[in-house]
Amino acid sequence: MTLLDYLHFQGDLVARLAWQHMLLFGLSLAGATIIGVGLGVAVARVRWVASVVVPAVNLLQACPEVVLLAVSIPLLGIGFEGALIPLFVKGVLPILRNTASGLAGVDARTIEAATGIGLTPRQVLLRIELPSALPVIISGIRVSAVMLVSVLTLTAYIGVESLGTLIVQGIARMDPAPLILGSLLTALFAVAVNYILVGAERAAVNRLS
Amino acid sequence: MNLFDYLTANWPRILDLTLHHIELSLYAVALALAIGVPLGILCYVVRPIAAIVLNAVSIIYTIPTLALFGLMLPLIGIGVVPAIVAVVLYSLLPIVQNTYTGLMVVAPEIREAAKGLGMSPGGRLWRVELPLALPIVSAGVRVAVVNAVGMMTLASLIGAGGLGDLIFRGISTLSWALVLAGSVPVLALAALADVGLKALERRLAAWQGIA
């Protein structure tokens, strides 16, 4: 069956899986950003924590996705829950790390000046520190987004429907049509997400200067 | 079956798969080095192509691992070769990027001094710039090796074997012992490679301090 035939007969399936993939991606990235920035701020506030957390994070990030997935299943089961550990490690941790190091890199004199003109610590965080750290944070979000597309593709193995489902079916049935289609679509998706966030990073840098 | 029983009954097989896993990863990184370092040097020498090459390798790096393996199947088929090709492609970014960056950050005074001594461009590259770039290249190799060990786990899906065999069989039969028997050696390999190559980087940097 050629690619076009496959699209003709299975177009609805492909569209549904693509939609599901993007939906899960959007939800995971939103969740990862909220948790990652929150934890990153907490880590940056308590300096000694950063010296423990950042190396630990780097170590965990080096874990292959499959291994994280494999460890997650016995603990959390099959389905989307089973993907939570790899999603956390590959999604939340890059944002956490970059938020913490971005905040640590904000010029101390700027913060002092802001405090000097009477801003409360909360205002300093929201108006001075986070905007200054934004390019670094967005760069973390980009790393996380690319990893999340990849992790979601793999979750097809534990029954989460995503574009990965096409790849898994293609490999299992030695059917090139879904295999190529699934691989190309996930690849395009990842590349597009990356470029969009590279653009956002540049915009954030430009706004600073 | 618990983990201990599985290990005592199957340790020769686990050892075999581990060695196979190491072999595949090393082949892939060696090939990536053979392609990536010259490509990085080319980017440095022919500056206009740098943006194109670096963009191309970073696009490849963005592609989800499963999709990259998936694309190899119809193109090259199953087995060891497509797995190695996929990992080589993926390893290009850290190696090309770091070779290029390493050469770019060589101090201009040093480059001028070498010129002043009358060294040819080739001699400067080979005897001055590349040796100075070595620690950064080595950092790229470290990233590539750690990635390769992880990626090779997925290679089992396209029939290349390796420790992924144990992990995927464990996932499909819901056997915790199999999953662990595969995952622990993968993690140990990745951690060992990371620590070992970091030590190498420090050695290289220290050696430059003397030389």
Side-chain angles (χ1 to χ4, degrees), chain A residues 24-95:
Chain A
L24 287 178
F25 168 77
L27 286 175
S28 337
L29 189 64
T33 305
I34 294 168
I35 302 173
V37 172
L39 290 178
V41 170
V43 166
R45 280 286 166 273
V46 194
R47 280 298 142 84
W48 68 267
V49 179
S51 61
V52 181
V53 169
V54 172
V57 166
N58 286 340
L59 189 75
L60 269 176
Q61 293 244 262
C63 281
E65 299 151 45
V66 192
V67 170
L68 291 170
L69 193 65
V71 171
S72 184
I73 297 165
L75 299 175
L76 300 169
I78 290 273
F80 189 69
E81 296 89 344
L84 284 177
I85 290 181
L87 286 174
F88 183 83
V89 171
K90 298 287 179 183
V92 174
L93 297 187
I95 302 178

Side-chain angles (χ1 to χ4, degrees), chain A residues 62-67 70-71 73-74 146 149-150 153-154 157 167 171 174 179-180 183-184 186-187 190-191 194-195, chain B residues 55 59 62-67 70-71 73-74 78 146 150 153-154 157-158 167-168 171 174 176 179 183 186-187 190:
Chain A
C63 281
E65 299 151 45
V66 192
V67 170
V71 171
I73 297 165
V146 170
V149 177
S150 186
T153 313
L154 263 186
Y157 261 97
I167 305 178
I171 293 178
M174 282 309 250
L179 185 60
I180 296 175
S183 305
L184 279 180
T186 37
V191 171
N194 186 44
Y195 272 110
Chain B
N55 257 318
I59 286 178
T62 314
I63 298 175
T65 325
L66 186 61
L71 285 172
L73 264 186
I78 57 166
V146 173
T153 342
L154 274 176
L157 290 177
I158 55 171
I167 300 178
F168 281 108
I171 293 180
L174 292 178
W176 193 206
V179 166
S183 305
V186 169
L187 287 181

Side-chain angles (χ1 to χ4, degrees), chain A:
Chain A
M1 189 153 53
T2 68
L3 271 185
L4 283 178
D5 286 340
Y6 186 84
L7 264 180
H8 181 71
F9 291 114
Q10 301 284 348
D12 290 346
L13 174 73
V14 175
R16 188 164 57 83
L17 292 175
W19 170 242
Q20 169 96 351
H21 200 119
M22 284 192 247
L23 191 71
L24 287 178
F25 168 77
L27 286 175
S28 337
L29 189 64
T33 305
I34 294 168
I35 302 173
V37 172
L39 290 178
V41 170
V43 166
R45 280 286 166 273
V46 194
R47 280 298 142 84
W48 68 267
V49 179
S51 61
V52 181
V53 169
V54 172
V57 166
N58 286 340
L59 189 75
L60 269 176
Q61 293 244 262
C63 281
E65 299 151 45
V66 192
V67 170
L68 291 170
L69 193 65
V71 171
S72 184
I73 297 165
L75 299 175
L76 300 169
I78 290 273
F80 189 69
E81 296 89 344
L84 284 177
I85 290 181
L87 286 174
F88 183 83
V89 171
K90 298 287 179 183
V92 174
L93 297 187
I95 302 178
L96 186 164
R97 189 184 54 188
N98 280 30
T99 305
S101 64
L103 288 178
V106 178
D107 195 339
R109 284 168 304 182
T110 317
I111 298 172
E112 210 163 303
T115 319
I117 60 166
L119 294 189
T120 64
R122 216 180 110 98
Q123 285 172 323
V124 174
L125 177 68
L126 292 179
R127 296 203 198 154
I128 311 287
E129 291 181 282
L130 282 178
S132 314
L134 201 58
V136 186
I137 298 176
I138 294 180
S139 160
I141 295 179
R142 182 170 59 82
V143 172
S144 143
V146 170
M147 295 308 306
L148 286 179
V149 177
S150 186
V151 172
L152 284 173
T153 313
L154 263 186
T155 57
Y157 261 97
I158 55 170
V160 180
E161 291 204 314
S162 73
L163 286 169
T165 310
L166 293 176
I167 305 178
V168 172
Q169 278 178 4
I171 293 178
R173 298 178 195 159
M174 282 309 250
D175 183 353
L179 185 60
I180 296 175
L181 205 60
S183 305
L184 279 180
L185 287 176
T186 37
L188 281 177
F189 187 41
V191 171
V193 161
N194 186 44
Y195 272 110
I196 292 171
L197 288 164
V198 166
E201 205 175 316
R202 267 197 213 125
V205 173
N206 286 340
R207 250 194 49 181
L208 272 186
S209 51

